[in-house]
Amino acid sequence: AGLATSCWNMAASGNGTTPSLDVRLTRSQSGNILDIDFIGGLSEVAGSSAPAAAAAAPATTTAIATVAPSCSSTAVVISGRKLRILEHRVHKVEMRTRENGESEEELVVSNLRPFTLKVGVHDSADVPIVDCSLPLRATLLYENGSAVKQTSLSEPLLVGETDVVALQGAATFKLRITSLSSHRDKQRFRIQVAPQEESLTRTEPLLSVVTDPMKSVTKLGRAMPPPPLPSPGGDAAAEGVKRRCRETLDAHAQSIAQLQETHVQIAAELEAVASLAQRAVRAKAEPTSVAAPV
């Protein structure tokens, strides 16, 4: 596995007959030469003497080192390219408790808003390959890696820029998951990015990457404020806070009592004014008696 075969056509220089030879080199993945085969032209030198063959050997070695390749290999060579997630922006990060009691961060996205995923094409030394143009495709998976099946014909499971070409070694996807975790037995989702050509994925399996699991919801709830930190000083500080609270409550109670007394006084004054007004109205309504002349 990982062997490459290259062909050269050369003329082995020597003092006698100059046959035309085809040289086939078999290299390992690291580039070392494992085997050298000479194809064609050997019948012309079969009858030559051993000294002549021995004299021609150094010339043959020199020719192999100087000629240029004239045909390409058809052997499958693993290049070492791989995909790496450079950026994964979600809408919210929550804390969840796992089955074993441990807490972990949970990525949350809304099915109403797109999120961003950026991947890069790197070599085996994890260096970005900037002179790369690779068509990529994003697909939706469950957290366990199985494919998500379409349950309705109304809308695809994953919408947005699902097919992107990685230019200069990077590709950015803007995606939106239309399905909800609550409609899929509370399962979370992952995004898989791989080449659009399936044959390329088979020959270079490292050109495939998946994101961390995400929960898909409709509404993003507001984040709960963190609990207040304990005040330095322990019980003494707590007692001081309680004392100030009691003093404030007592002051408010006194203010309320004063307002109630003022309300009673105002009600009494209003009642007196109303009584005087009623008397004035009755006095105007009674007829005035006039004394008769004697």
Side-chain angles (χ1 to χ4, degrees):
L3 301 181
T5 303
S6 302
C7 300
W8 283 267
N9 182 268
M10 69 172 193
S13 59
N15 297 328
T17 306
T18 305
S20 177
L21 298 179
D22 288 332
V23 181
R24 177 176 296 173
L25 301 182
T26 302
R27 298 176 180 269
S28 65
Q29 184 176 355
S30 59
N32 297 326
I33 299 177
L34 300 180
D35 191 15
I36 303 176
D37 293 333
F38 298 92
I39 303 173
L42 295 181
S43 59
E44 301 179 7
V45 296
S48 60
S49 61
T60 302
T61 304
T62 305
I64 294 175
T66 56
V67 295
S70 60
C71 65
S72 59
S73 170
T74 58
V76 176
V77 180
I78 304 300
S79 66
R81 293 187 302 174
K82 59 183 178 180
L83 293 183
R84 178 174 294 276
I85 295 179
L86 304 179
E87 184 179 307
H88 184 197
R89 291 187 178 182
V90 296
H91 303 143
K92 186 180 179 182
V93 178
E94 296 179 341
M95 297 301 299
R96 67 186 292 264
T97 303
R98 305 174 61 181
E99 295 180 356
N100 58 4
E102 297 180 356
S103 298
E104 67 174 357
E105 292 184 346
E106 183 176 49
L107 306 182
V108 183
V109 294
S110 172
N111 67 333
L112 304 178
R113 296 166 52 189
F115 60 92
T116 302
L117 176 63
K118 183 178 181 180
V119 299
V121 184
H122 291 204
D123 59 14
S124 58
D126 206 17
V127 177
I129 305 177
V130 296
D131 57 344
C132 174
S133 177
L134 181 64
L136 300 174
R137 176 168 296 162
T139 55
L140 187 65
L141 302 177
Y142 283 120
E143 182 177 0
N144 58 12
S146 59
V148 182
K149 296 182 180 180
Q150 184 83 31
T151 58
S152 63
L153 301 177
S154 58
E155 192 174 19
L157 297 171
L158 189 65
V159 297
E161 300 173 0
T162 57
D163 288 353
V164 177
V165 178
L167 298 177
Q168 296 183 350
T172 301
F173 297 83
K174 291 185 178 180
L175 307 168
R176 181 170 64 88
I177 301 175
T178 61
S179 183
L180 297 173
S181 295
S182 59
H183 295 170
R184 301 280 180 165
D185 296 331
K186 297 183 180 180
Q187 296 190 78
R188 297 186 294 181
F189 302 102
R190 297 179 187 266
I191 302 297
Q192 181 187 42
V193 178
Q196 297 181 16
E197 298 182 9
E198 297 181 359
S199 59
L200 189 58
T201 305
R202 290 192 295 267
T203 57
E204 298 184 66
L206 295 181
L207 286 179
S208 179
V209 68
V210 294
T211 65
D212 292 332
M214 298 172 288
K215 182 175 68 174
S216 176
V217 299
T218 299
K219 294 183 179 180
L220 299 170
R222 295 181 179 178
M224 297 296 295
L229 298 176
S231 302
D235 297 338
E239 289 296 330
V241 174
K242 293 180 180 179
R243 184 177 62 254
R244 289 193 296 271
C245 290
R246 284 195 298 267
E247 293 175 355
T248 302
L249 291 176
D250 293 340
H252 289 172
Q254 293 177 2
S255 299
I256 292 174
Q258 293 177 358
L259 290 175
Q260 290 177 346
E261 293 177 0
T262 303
H263 174 72
V264 172
Q265 294 176 0
I266 293 175
E269 293 177 357
L270 290 177
E271 186 176 356
V273 172
S275 178
L276 292 176
Q278 290 178 359
R279 290 178 183 178
V281 171
R282 285 196 300 267
K284 290 182 179 181
E286 293 178 356
T288 305
S289 57
V290 180
V294 178

